[in-house]
Amino acid sequence: MTITETPPTRPGLPPLWLALLPIVLTLGLLALQLFYYGDFTPHIPLILGLAITGLLGVLRGQGWMDIREGVFHVIHVSMPSLSVLIVVGMIIGVWIASGTVPTLIYYGLTLLNPQIFLVAAMVLCAVVSLSLGTSWGTVGTVGVALMGIGAGFGIPAYWTAGAVVSGAFFGDKISPLSDTTNLAPAVTGVNIFDHIRNMLPTTVPAMLIALVIYFVAGTWLISPAETSMARIDAITDTLAAQFTLGWVPMIPALVVIVLAVTRRPPLPSLFAGVLLGGIIAIFLQGAGLHDVFTYAQSGYAIETGVADIDSLLNAGGIQSMMWTISLMLIALGFGGALERTGCLEAIINAIISRVKSFTAVQSSAIATAFATNVVAGDPYISIALPGRMYAPLYRGMGYSTLNLSRAVEEGGTLMSPLIPWNAGGAFVITALSLGVMDGNLTNLLYIPLAFACWTAPLIGILYAVTGWFSPQASDAERREWDRQDEDVLDLGDHALGENA
């Protein structure tokens, strides 16, 4: 006899005030922890937020097993990103031991002009991220080396981090290899290459604005007369004494880039970099096999007597990522609970019912993706949920959902690294060794200094107001809606033509 399990019954969506309640309480707990106690560990407030959300669902008649399924579903979807975190932790430790990172720092300090360093850092990260299709992989490899070069030039860590984040997440946003760049068009029903082309009107101006600011800042922050050549010489001399430098240590980085450009999967490509780094560490740098295992697990460790070198190179390892991974798991679980209990959907529905123009719709889509990033802590939810919810509204207004795919990328992908308890922000803080968890809150200034990330959404809102670069639905797109039987919201008088 076959027993068919009856699917769990779920109540309707909660009223708006009740949907907002767990979010407001969680944000209050986060504020208490971060600002009143001065403790940058958002884990427990988010766990309490998950518990509050689950209790809300149970009190409204929803089964706990159903809520738990929602929590684990979101975590499962994000497992590839968690896997990248683990491999990036290994890469940082092993690439320091192999001499890859020291070589990048050495030649960066000897060849780069300090005044254009921030510009060069952003451009380099943009190119690498575009090639790899992963902002996290770029931050955890090239970004780590750039932090060392910036420190050698005497540039504050938060300025270098801002330039790294601007470049890395720019490349991620328009790379056809990126998971978020594929997710946004998938949930909004558009072609990925059309989606990438439609992001250029906001992405290019944002990058140009950032380039100008970084150039001016480089001139202002440092001048050749003030550059401490003694400090730079101490760093380069120590690196040359401790490591065998040259083209051989660069092989792991070059191989990873080649694999990415030839469209190999990111995770195996990054792991190939770990293996090659380990081999070079053994045969070129004289490390033992067990040493390499230790570097991959616990990070590289060295005492050179030069404080700048020690602070730069004592980093990496899987364990260095555990703080971030645990935060991601909790934040993802919280986001999954909010989604499964209908809280996020109820809030988005309330917003949709109140918008009456394209300007309001586009601005709301960007703001909703950003707000979802804040409360759910996950860039994937911040793209997928608003993308699904807003798409019928765009179709009903007669506008291409390319506008929506761009909006959720701007509020989702680009804003993710600027929220410290978000998966993106937590990774940046950990990978770049900003020391925020140890009380070095000054380095959170990288958030406003990541100019390309937050200016792109503002430019997107400007286009919504002016109607520039805001394509209407083509006849071909409308036929595709009919063929796919897509939902189209009937807006009556508020269809295409009203943009006030």
Side-chain angles (χ1 to χ4, degrees):
M1 180 176 63
T2 302
I3 300 176
T4 304
E5 183 178 349
T6 304
T9 58
R10 298 177 190 166
L13 296 181
L16 180 60
W17 70 269
L18 194 57
L20 287 169
L21 183 62
I23 294 173
V24 171
L25 291 176
T26 303
L27 291 177
L29 291 169
L30 280 169
L32 181 70
Q33 176 81 330
L34 301 180
F35 303 116
Y36 182 76
Y37 293 122
D39 184 355
F40 191 82
T41 47
H43 300 61
I44 302 304
L46 290 173
I47 287 177
L48 292 175
L50 195 163
I52 292 169
T53 308
L55 179 61
L56 168 66
V58 171
L59 292 177
R60 295 189 68 249
Q62 194 170 359
W64 162 246
M65 295 303 291
D66 183 39
I67 298 171
R68 192 188 75 167
E69 181 186 344
V71 170
F72 289 146
H73 171 71
V74 173
I75 292 175
H76 173 73
V77 169
S78 300
M79 284 306 295
S81 296
L82 292 171
S83 302
V84 168
L85 277 178
I86 292 173
V87 177
V88 166
M90 297 170 68
I91 275 184
I92 294 173
V94 172
W95 279 17
I96 294 173
S98 67
T100 305
V101 171
T103 296
L104 287 169
I105 295 174
Y106 179 89
Y107 287 110
L109 287 173
T110 54
L111 298 177
L112 281 177
N113 183 329
Q115 292 179 299
I116 65 166
F117 167 70
L118 293 175
V119 171
M122 188 186 75
V123 171
L124 179 59
C125 284
V127 172
V128 172
S129 184
L130 182 62
S131 302
L132 295 179
T134 167
S135 54
W136 291 9
T138 302
V139 169
T141 53
V142 177
V144 172
L146 289 169
M147 292 298 292
I149 298 170
F153 287 145
I155 296 175
Y158 44 81
W159 271 103
T160 305
V164 167
V165 169
S166 286
F169 283 81
F170 156 84
D172 183 276
K173 179 186 172 188
I174 63 170
S175 172
L177 302 177
S178 167
D179 48 6
T180 55
T181 306
N182 281 272
L183 177 62
V187 299
T188 56
V190 298
N191 178 271
I192 182 174
F193 294 104
D194 292 338
H195 165 68
I196 291 173
R197 281 191 293 270
N198 195 54
M199 287 193 297
L200 294 179
T202 57
T203 303
V204 173
M207 289 295 287
L208 291 176
I209 291 170
L211 281 171
V212 171
I213 295 175
Y214 290 137
F215 178 77
V216 173
T219 304
W220 169 65
L221 283 171
I222 192 166
S223 66
E226 296 173 350
T227 302
S228 175
M229 297 309 298
R231 181 184 186 187
I232 293 175
D233 289 343
I235 293 173
T236 54
D237 290 346
T238 304
L239 289 174
Q242 295 289 333
F243 298 92
T244 300
L245 306 177
W247 66 269
V248 175
M250 294 301 299
I251 291 175
L254 295 174
V255 168
V256 169
I257 291 175
V258 169
L259 290 174
V261 170
T262 54
R263 300 198 174 189
R264 298 298 190 271
L267 196 59
S269 300
L270 291 171
F271 189 70
V274 175
L275 295 178
L276 285 172
I279 292 171
I280 291 172
I282 292 172
F283 291 101
L284 185 66
Q285 307 296 349
L289 179 61
H290 184 255
D291 293 329
V292 173
F293 289 171
T294 301
Y295 301 148
Q297 168 68 13
S298 304
Y300 189 74
I302 190 172
E303 292 184 9
T304 65
V306 179
D308 289 332
I309 292 289
D310 294 346
S311 64
L312 292 174
L313 301 186
N314 288 308
I318 293 175
Q319 292 305 313
S320 71
M321 293 294 165
M322 285 300 123
W323 189 94
T324 302
I325 290 173
S326 62
L327 176 57
M328 282 185 62
L329 290 171
I330 296 166
L332 291 168
F334 177 47
L338 287 171
E339 184 175 19
R340 184 54 64 99
T341 54
C343 291
L344 292 180
E345 186 176 349
I347 295 169
I348 293 176
N349 281 343
I351 295 171
I352 290 175
S353 68
R354 288 166 171 78
V355 294
K356 303 299 182 183
S357 68
F358 174 75
T359 298
V361 170
Q362 186 74 358
S363 301
S364 297
I366 294 171
T368 301
F370 171 65
T372 306
N373 251 328
V374 172
V375 300
D378 176 47
Y380 298 99
I381 294 178
S382 70
I383 291 173
L385 191 61
R388 291 199 305 264
M389 297 298 296
Y390 276 87
L393 183 56
Y394 279 81
R395 299 186 190 109
M397 298 189 76
Y399 278 89
S400 172
T401 49
L402 284 168
N403 298 291
L404 174 58
S405 65
R406 186 175 70 199
V408 296
E409 279 266 56
E410 289 166 351
T413 303
L414 288 182
M415 299 306 289
S416 166
L418 309 188
I419 303 165
W421 56 86
N422 185 280
F427 174 73
V428 166
I429 290 168
T430 302
L432 299 184
S433 301
L434 295 180
V436 173
M437 290 83 76
D438 299 325
N440 192 3
L441 299 183
T442 304
N443 281 340
L444 287 177
L445 287 173
Y446 87 87
I447 295 170
L449 299 180
F451 298 104
C453 291
W454 59 263
T455 54
L458 294 180
I459 295 170
I461 293 173
L462 174 64
Y463 290 161
V465 173
T466 61
W468 301 340
F469 303 107
S470 303
Q472 300 172 8
S474 64
D475 291 337
E477 190 172 1
R478 292 175 186 271
R479 287 193 296 270
E480 186 65 16
W481 296 346
D482 292 336
R483 191 181 72 82
Q484 297 288 345
D485 195 24
E486 301 281 12
D487 292 333
V488 179
L489 194 61
D490 184 4
L491 298 173
D493 294 336
H494 299 296
L496 183 63
E498 183 179 346
N499 193 45

